[in-house]
Amino acid sequence: MRTLAATLVVVAVAAGPWCRLQGQWAIAADIGVARFGAHRATAPRDGGPYRPTTFGLRLERGLGRARVALGVLHAETGLVAEGQGVAVVQYGIGSLWEIAPEISFGVARFGTGVEARVEAGPAVDLWNFDGEQRNRVGGRVAAVLEWPLARALMGSLRVSGVLSGSVFDAADAPSGVERRATRRFGVAVGLRYQL
């Protein structure tokens, strides 16, 4: 958690000199949940990281109806083996840091300030399972709904998907287990502050 706090401080300090550019820069934070898929056994079982709470931070720059952003996501997770109505979970053995540059476009406006957006970009996933580092690169897409809360403050609902290489190495998979690309589906709510 201290690492997340340090990341927030670094982003805030980096954004400081740009605050003079009113209306162009924004910082956003969100909290959400994620579901993963990472391998399949010959029997109908699935496994992978298990439904963590996610914390995200994003620094954005507006370019008309488009925005470019750099997002950081953090999650502490366990591992799960699921099948036939039973799940076995080992909690607290993994963590994920994700760095995601992205571009987004407004696709629709509703009422007074409600906007629908789509986002896309690469995602660099930095996994740590009990001290074993695994880095994966993938792609990320999201649909976002934003609404005004105050003059410079917006609320948001973000539904996202990430596809990357398997979080497991070939040596991790016992016989009868097929490694698959790691898929993550996430839903998050957040706040966006226009600097």
PDB file of all heavy atoms in Angstrom, residues 74-93:
ATOM      1  N   HIS A  74      -3.085  -1.125  -9.633  1.00  0.00           N
ATOM      2  CA  HIS A  74      -2.474  -2.039  -8.664  1.00  0.00           C
ATOM      3  C   HIS A  74      -3.545  -2.961  -8.087  1.00  0.00           C
ATOM      4  O   HIS A  74      -4.672  -2.547  -7.846  1.00  0.00           O
ATOM      5  CB  HIS A  74      -1.804  -1.273  -7.524  1.00  0.00           C
ATOM      6  CG  HIS A  74      -1.198  -2.173  -6.494  1.00  0.00           C
ATOM      7  ND1 HIS A  74      -0.124  -2.990  -6.762  1.00  0.00           N
ATOM      8  CD2 HIS A  74      -1.529  -2.420  -5.211  1.00  0.00           C
ATOM      9  CE1 HIS A  74       0.185  -3.686  -5.676  1.00  0.00           C
ATOM     10  NE2 HIS A  74      -0.664  -3.352  -4.728  1.00  0.00           N
ATOM     11  N   ALA A  75      -3.155  -4.229  -7.892  1.00  0.00           N
ATOM     12  CA  ALA A  75      -4.057  -5.210  -7.280  1.00  0.00           C
ATOM     13  C   ALA A  75      -3.234  -6.243  -6.527  1.00  0.00           C
ATOM     14  O   ALA A  75      -2.161  -6.644  -6.979  1.00  0.00           O
ATOM     15  CB  ALA A  75      -4.892  -5.899  -8.343  1.00  0.00           C
ATOM     16  N   GLU A  76      -3.719  -6.643  -5.363  1.00  0.00           N
ATOM     17  CA  GLU A  76      -3.168  -7.774  -4.613  1.00  0.00           C
ATOM     18  C   GLU A  76      -4.115  -8.935  -4.853  1.00  0.00           C
ATOM     19  O   GLU A  76      -5.319  -8.794  -4.703  1.00  0.00           O
ATOM     20  CB  GLU A  76      -3.106  -7.458  -3.114  1.00  0.00           C
ATOM     21  CG  GLU A  76      -2.166  -6.319  -2.758  1.00  0.00           C
ATOM     22  CD  GLU A  76      -0.706  -6.694  -2.869  1.00  0.00           C
ATOM     23  OE1 GLU A  76      -0.373  -7.894  -2.685  1.00  0.00           O
ATOM     24  OE2 GLU A  76       0.105  -5.797  -3.152  1.00  0.00           O
ATOM     25  N   THR A  77      -3.585 -10.094  -5.246  1.00  0.00           N
ATOM     26  CA  THR A  77      -4.448 -11.190  -5.643  1.00  0.00           C
ATOM     27  C   THR A  77      -3.965 -12.534  -5.121  1.00  0.00           C
ATOM     28  O   THR A  77      -2.807 -12.681  -4.744  1.00  0.00           O
ATOM     29  CB  THR A  77      -4.574 -11.239  -7.189  1.00  0.00           C
ATOM     30  OG1 THR A  77      -5.512 -12.237  -7.548  1.00  0.00           O
ATOM     31  CG2 THR A  77      -3.246 -11.536  -7.846  1.00  0.00           C
ATOM     32  N   GLY A  78      -4.867 -13.476  -5.115  1.00  0.00           N
ATOM     33  CA  GLY A  78      -4.529 -14.863  -4.835  1.00  0.00           C
ATOM     34  C   GLY A  78      -4.615 -15.658  -6.121  1.00  0.00           C
ATOM     35  O   GLY A  78      -4.795 -15.102  -7.201  1.00  0.00           O
ATOM     36  N   LEU A  79      -4.472 -16.976  -6.019  1.00  0.00           N
ATOM     37  CA  LEU A  79      -4.630 -17.861  -7.167  1.00  0.00           C
ATOM     38  C   LEU A  79      -5.791 -18.799  -6.903  1.00  0.00           C
ATOM     39  O   LEU A  79      -6.010 -19.221  -5.770  1.00  0.00           O
ATOM     40  CB  LEU A  79      -3.357 -18.677  -7.407  1.00  0.00           C
ATOM     41  CG  LEU A  79      -2.159 -17.902  -7.938  1.00  0.00           C
ATOM     42  CD1 LEU A  79      -0.941 -18.802  -8.041  1.00  0.00           C
ATOM     43  CD2 LEU A  79      -2.469 -17.286  -9.296  1.00  0.00           C
ATOM     44  N   VAL A  80      -6.520 -19.164  -7.969  1.00  0.00           N
ATOM     45  CA  VAL A  80      -7.698 -20.008  -7.828  1.00  0.00           C
ATOM     46  C   VAL A  80      -7.655 -21.144  -8.834  1.00  0.00           C
ATOM     47  O   VAL A  80      -7.137 -20.994  -9.940  1.00  0.00           O
ATOM     48  CB  VAL A  80      -9.001 -19.183  -8.014  1.00  0.00           C
ATOM     49  CG1 VAL A  80      -9.108 -18.652  -9.420  1.00  0.00           C
ATOM     50  CG2 VAL A  80     -10.235 -19.998  -7.652  1.00  0.00           C
ATOM     51  N   ALA A  81      -8.202 -22.280  -8.426  1.00  0.00           N
ATOM     52  CA  ALA A  81      -8.533 -23.379  -9.336  1.00  0.00           C
ATOM     53  C   ALA A  81     -10.032 -23.591  -9.193  1.00  0.00           C
ATOM     54  O   ALA A  81     -10.528 -23.800  -8.078  1.00  0.00           O
ATOM     55  CB  ALA A  81      -7.760 -24.637  -8.977  1.00  0.00           C
ATOM     56  N   GLU A  82     -10.778 -23.496 -10.302  1.00  0.00           N
ATOM     57  CA  GLU A  82     -12.236 -23.579 -10.271  1.00  0.00           C
ATOM     58  C   GLU A  82     -12.721 -24.705 -11.165  1.00  0.00           C
ATOM     59  O   GLU A  82     -12.117 -24.978 -12.197  1.00  0.00           O
ATOM     60  CB  GLU A  82     -12.864 -22.282 -10.798  1.00  0.00           C
ATOM     61  CG  GLU A  82     -12.548 -21.051 -10.010  1.00  0.00           C
ATOM     62  CD  GLU A  82     -13.215 -19.836 -10.608  1.00  0.00           C
ATOM     63  OE1 GLU A  82     -14.365 -19.552 -10.228  1.00  0.00           O
ATOM     64  OE2 GLU A  82     -12.598 -19.181 -11.458  1.00  0.00           O
ATOM     65  N   GLY A  83     -13.809 -25.317 -10.766  1.00  0.00           N
ATOM     66  CA  GLY A  83     -14.430 -26.315 -11.634  1.00  0.00           C
ATOM     67  C   GLY A  83     -15.596 -26.992 -10.962  1.00  0.00           C
ATOM     68  O   GLY A  83     -15.572 -27.250  -9.763  1.00  0.00           O
ATOM     69  N   GLN A  84     -16.635 -27.257 -11.726  1.00  0.00           N
ATOM     70  CA  GLN A  84     -17.813 -27.995 -11.280  1.00  0.00           C
ATOM     71  C   GLN A  84     -18.371 -27.483  -9.954  1.00  0.00           C
ATOM     72  O   GLN A  84     -18.640 -28.232  -9.024  1.00  0.00           O
ATOM     73  CB  GLN A  84     -17.496 -29.482 -11.195  1.00  0.00           C
ATOM     74  CG  GLN A  84     -17.072 -30.055 -12.540  1.00  0.00           C
ATOM     75  CD  GLN A  84     -16.665 -31.506 -12.469  1.00  0.00           C
ATOM     76  OE1 GLN A  84     -16.505 -32.068 -11.399  1.00  0.00           O
ATOM     77  NE2 GLN A  84     -16.496 -32.106 -13.621  1.00  0.00           N
ATOM     78  N   GLY A  85     -18.506 -26.158  -9.848  1.00  0.00           N
ATOM     79  CA  GLY A  85     -19.123 -25.557  -8.673  1.00  0.00           C
ATOM     80  C   GLY A  85     -18.226 -25.430  -7.458  1.00  0.00           C
ATOM     81  O   GLY A  85     -18.690 -25.062  -6.383  1.00  0.00           O
ATOM     82  N   VAL A  86     -16.928 -25.725  -7.595  1.00  0.00           N
ATOM     83  CA  VAL A  86     -15.997 -25.644  -6.467  1.00  0.00           C
ATOM     84  C   VAL A  86     -14.825 -24.752  -6.863  1.00  0.00           C
ATOM     85  O   VAL A  86     -14.319 -24.836  -7.975  1.00  0.00           O
ATOM     86  CB  VAL A  86     -15.470 -27.051  -6.093  1.00  0.00           C
ATOM     87  CG1 VAL A  86     -14.428 -26.951  -4.988  1.00  0.00           C
ATOM     88  CG2 VAL A  86     -16.606 -27.956  -5.678  1.00  0.00           C
ATOM     89  N   ALA A  87     -14.393 -23.893  -5.947  1.00  0.00           N
ATOM     90  CA  ALA A  87     -13.216 -23.052  -6.163  1.00  0.00           C
ATOM     91  C   ALA A  87     -12.283 -23.202  -4.967  1.00  0.00           C
ATOM     92  O   ALA A  87     -12.720 -23.131  -3.817  1.00  0.00           O
ATOM     93  CB  ALA A  87     -13.622 -21.597  -6.326  1.00  0.00           C
ATOM     94  N   VAL A  88     -11.006 -23.429  -5.252  1.00  0.00           N
ATOM     95  CA  VAL A  88      -9.980 -23.487  -4.207  1.00  0.00           C
ATOM     96  C   VAL A  88      -9.085 -22.273  -4.419  1.00  0.00           C
ATOM     97  O   VAL A  88      -8.492 -22.109  -5.489  1.00  0.00           O
ATOM     98  CB  VAL A  88      -9.161 -24.789  -4.292  1.00  0.00           C
ATOM     99  CG1 VAL A  88      -8.064 -24.798  -3.240  1.00  0.00           C
ATOM    100  CG2 VAL A  88     -10.066 -26.003  -4.147  1.00  0.00           C
ATOM    101  N   VAL A  89      -8.997 -21.417  -3.397  1.00  0.00           N
ATOM    102  CA  VAL A  89      -8.270 -20.152  -3.522  1.00  0.00           C
ATOM    103  C   VAL A  89      -7.137 -20.109  -2.519  1.00  0.00           C
ATOM    104  O   VAL A  89      -7.315 -20.430  -1.342  1.00  0.00           O
ATOM    105  CB  VAL A  89      -9.206 -18.944  -3.268  1.00  0.00           C
ATOM    106  CG1 VAL A  89      -8.451 -17.644  -3.434  1.00  0.00           C
ATOM    107  CG2 VAL A  89     -10.407 -18.994  -4.186  1.00  0.00           C
ATOM    108  N   GLN A  90      -5.960 -19.693  -2.992  1.00  0.00           N
ATOM    109  CA  GLN A  90      -4.840 -19.405  -2.102  1.00  0.00           C
ATOM    110  C   GLN A  90      -4.653 -17.892  -2.142  1.00  0.00           C
ATOM    111  O   GLN A  90      -4.265 -17.330  -3.163  1.00  0.00           O
ATOM    112  CB  GLN A  90      -3.565 -20.113  -2.557  1.00  0.00           C
ATOM    113  CG  GLN A  90      -2.417 -19.898  -1.605  1.00  0.00           C
ATOM    114  CD  GLN A  90      -1.170 -20.673  -2.009  1.00  0.00           C
ATOM    115  OE1 GLN A  90      -1.152 -21.367  -3.022  1.00  0.00           O
ATOM    116  NE2 GLN A  90      -0.140 -20.551  -1.216  1.00  0.00           N
ATOM    117  N   TYR A  91      -4.990 -17.228  -1.034  1.00  0.00           N
ATOM    118  CA  TYR A  91      -4.999 -15.771  -0.981  1.00  0.00           C
ATOM    119  C   TYR A  91      -3.613 -15.202  -0.700  1.00  0.00           C
ATOM    120  O   TYR A  91      -2.762 -15.850  -0.101  1.00  0.00           O
ATOM    121  CB  TYR A  91      -5.951 -15.282   0.117  1.00  0.00           C
ATOM    122  CG  TYR A  91      -7.403 -15.476  -0.218  1.00  0.00           C
ATOM    123  CD1 TYR A  91      -8.130 -16.522   0.328  1.00  0.00           C
ATOM    124  CD2 TYR A  91      -8.050 -14.610  -1.082  1.00  0.00           C
ATOM    125  CE1 TYR A  91      -9.467 -16.700   0.024  1.00  0.00           C
ATOM    126  CE2 TYR A  91      -9.388 -14.777  -1.399  1.00  0.00           C
ATOM    127  CZ  TYR A  91     -10.086 -15.827  -0.845  1.00  0.00           C
ATOM    128  OH  TYR A  91     -11.405 -15.993  -1.153  1.00  0.00           O
ATOM    129  N   GLY A  92      -3.428 -13.951  -1.136  1.00  0.00           N
ATOM    130  CA  GLY A  92      -2.292 -13.140  -0.715  1.00  0.00           C
ATOM    131  C   GLY A  92      -0.934 -13.546  -1.238  1.00  0.00           C
ATOM    132  O   GLY A  92       0.073 -13.240  -0.608  1.00  0.00           O
ATOM    133  N   ILE A  93      -0.859 -14.199  -2.385  1.00  0.00           N
ATOM    134  CA  ILE A  93       0.466 -14.603  -2.860  1.00  0.00           C
ATOM    135  C   ILE A  93       0.905 -13.846  -4.106  1.00  0.00           C
ATOM    136  O   ILE A  93       2.027 -14.011  -4.558  1.00  0.00           O
ATOM    137  CB  ILE A  93       0.537 -16.120  -3.141  1.00  0.00           C
ATOM    138  CG1 ILE A  93      -0.370 -16.511  -4.293  1.00  0.00           C
ATOM    139  CG2 ILE A  93       0.243 -16.918  -1.905  1.00  0.00           C
ATOM    140  CD1 ILE A  93      -0.095 -17.893  -4.804  1.00  0.00           C
TER     141      ILE A  93
END
